[in-house]
Amino acid sequence: MKKQLSLLVKASLISVYLIFLAGSVVRMTGSGMGCPDWPKCFGYYIPPTSEEQITWQPNTSYKKGIIIVKDAALFVAEEDFISQNEFNIQYWKKYTKHSYATFNKYHTWTEYINRLTSVLAGFVFLFLLFSANKYWKDNKKIPMLAIGAFLLMLFEAWLGKTVVDTNLKPTVITIHMVAGLFIIALLLQLLFVSDRGQNKSTVYNALFSRLLVVSVVFSLIQIAMGTQVRQFIDEQVKLFGFENKQYSLMNPSFKFYFHRSFTIAIVLVNLGLFYLNQIKNLGYQLVNWVVFLIFLETITGILMYYADFPIGTQATHLLAGAILFGLQFYLWLQSRSTV
């Protein structure tokens, strides 16, 4: 039975990382407001594919909740009706949650696929919750961790709505990202509990364990700060357009310089982990992957800055950071179990 639970936890982890990947593609392409409402998209369950669908038309049937763009503003149908030859405001109310009223079918469908990824993850989490619920008598920690992860997923869904309603407010996006990392931490703890006892080949080292705590905290800070830097880039893109990526980091704020310089501290801490693992023969195989991800993070960061954001580097950078956090956290769980 624990094997089934372990597989569901791993599936849940993969689904969360897919959300990270989809979200990074959304930000990379500037598609965050591709759907101006939530959970629907322009009032549709299946998003529009052409501008005609969200533009007011005479003698057209409209359903309640459908959103159109008119005079650079969004309007929501207040009831089912058929339009006449002239636009009649009595059937519409202005959408007031934000003022973003641009349609781009590629942005719309990119954001919609991101939402579908989240829906898929939701079903996986429901299966996990059902499976973990069977362990109330044997180990209450298992269902409690599953419930915690599921509740955080619901919180993430609400945050996703808030991100759209606030027109990509930086603070909300950062909380959205950090909450996703906490979900990963809960799932990894659940995975560790369900697989406990399978790996006894590691050796406890107090300094190694303390460095792991530092590495986890550093990664959390770096990812949160990176989200803020990404928001600055988004604002630059709005000003200069996607075709002028060379201006994305023109006159950056202190947050960018902190994010870049803080990489040095992260590299040193994780190289320290690698060094201790080697000279003390501690047996933590995941440390090698940590070093690889640090290298990948550094390379993609350099490419983004000096090569004007080559395609795929932003998504790779974000996903590698999230996986790095997960590996460091799981290593910390392993190090504690050997005490």
Side-chain angles (χ1 to χ4, degrees):
M1 189 179 291
K2 278 200 172 184
K3 185 177 180 180
Q4 180 189 40
L5 177 65
S6 177
L7 287 173
L8 280 170
V9 177
K10 291 173 182 176
S12 300
L13 274 168
I14 291 171
S15 71
V16 173
Y17 279 119
L18 283 175
I19 293 173
F20 270 88
L21 178 60
S24 66
V25 172
V26 166
R27 297 208 74 186
M28 179 179 68
T29 56
S31 304
M33 292 301 292
C35 295
D37 51 327
W38 190 99
K40 295 183 180 181
C41 189
F42 286 97
Y44 295 94
Y45 287 108
I46 306 291
T49 56
S50 66
E51 195 165 354
E52 287 75 16
Q53 289 178 265
I54 52 91
T55 303
W56 182 84
Q57 304 284 348
N59 305 314
T60 302
S61 176
Y62 288 100
K63 297 290 185 182
K64 182 179 179 180
I66 292 298
I67 295 177
I68 63 167
V69 178
K70 182 172 175 56
D71 300 328
L74 297 174
F75 290 88
V76 186
E78 295 204 85
E79 58 184 82
D80 296 351
F81 71 97
I82 298 176
S83 62
Q84 304 301 313
N85 290 327
E86 298 292 332
F87 181 78
N88 191 340
I89 192 62
Q90 76 177 47
Y91 293 112
W92 304 89
K93 66 176 179 180
K94 197 168 184 178
Y95 194 80
T96 57
K97 290 183 178 179
H98 59 76
S99 58
Y100 188 87
T102 301
F103 175 75
N104 180 310
K105 65 180 180 181
Y106 301 108
H107 290 177
T108 293
W109 277 86
T110 300
E111 168 59 15
Y112 181 66
I113 292 171
N114 176 41
R115 294 184 184 185
L116 286 181
T117 306
S118 300
V119 171
L120 175 64
F123 283 110
V124 176
F125 271 73
L126 281 173
F127 285 121
L128 174 63
L129 193 63
F130 177 76
S131 180
N133 195 51
K134 300 174 184 177
Y135 291 88
W136 275 110
K137 291 183 180 179
D138 298 331
N139 188 344
K140 287 183 172 59
K141 192 173 183 179
I142 290 176
M144 291 300 291
L145 286 169
I147 290 170
F150 182 74
L151 290 176
L152 266 180
M153 280 293 286
L154 293 179
F155 177 62
E156 279 285 78
W158 175 79
L159 277 176
K161 177 184 185 306
T162 306
V163 166
V164 174
D165 289 347
T166 58
N167 195 3
L168 311 181
K169 188 176 181 180
T171 306
V172 180
I173 292 175
T174 301
I175 296 172
H176 195 45
M177 174 69 72
V178 173
L181 295 176
F182 277 104
I183 293 173
I184 289 172
L186 287 175
L187 289 174
L188 286 172
Q189 196 163 3
L190 182 53
L191 179 65
F192 183 77
V193 171
S194 63
D195 286 349
R196 195 161 190 172
Q198 292 185 19
N199 185 9
K200 295 292 185 181
S201 61
T202 54
V203 179
Y204 176 74
N205 180 276
L207 178 58
F208 184 83
S209 186
R210 286 195 290 268
L211 278 177
L212 276 171
V213 174
V214 174
S215 71
V216 169
V217 173
F218 277 15
S219 287
L220 197 60
I221 293 170
Q222 185 74 328
I223 292 171
M225 191 61 66
T227 306
Q228 296 291 307
V229 173
R230 178 64 227 182
Q231 185 60 34
F232 172 81
I233 294 170
D234 290 345
E235 294 300 323
Q236 294 293 92
V237 168
K238 288 178 184 178
L239 286 174
F240 302 106
F242 276 98
E243 66 277 7
N244 295 310
K245 291 183 178 181
Q246 66 272 23
Y247 300 129
S248 295
L249 284 170
M250 186 173 67
N251 299 321
S253 65
F254 168 77
K255 293 175 182 178
F256 165 76
Y257 292 109
F258 178 88
H259 180 69
R260 186 177 66 177
S261 301
F262 197 55
T263 302
I264 298 172
I266 290 174
V267 169
L268 291 175
V269 167
N270 286 281
L271 286 179
L273 290 170
F274 178 79
Y275 177 73
L276 281 173
N277 189 55
Q278 292 295 316
I279 64 167
K280 299 290 186 180
N281 293 317
L282 302 180
Y284 295 96
Q285 300 298 322
L286 290 179
V287 172
N288 298 326
W289 284 103
V290 167
V291 173
F292 169 74
L293 287 169
I294 290 289
F295 173 76
L296 185 61
E297 282 279 83
T298 305
I299 291 298
T300 51
I302 291 171
L303 285 173
M304 283 190 289
Y305 184 71
Y306 290 104
D308 298 331
F309 299 87
I311 187 168
T313 50
Q314 294 175 61
T316 303
H317 192 69
L318 189 149
L319 185 61
I323 295 174
L324 174 64
F325 169 84
L327 289 182
Q328 291 167 331
F329 185 81
Y330 196 79
L331 274 167
W332 175 67
L333 293 174
Q334 284 186 327
S335 72
R336 290 175 62 220
S337 72
T338 56
V339 179

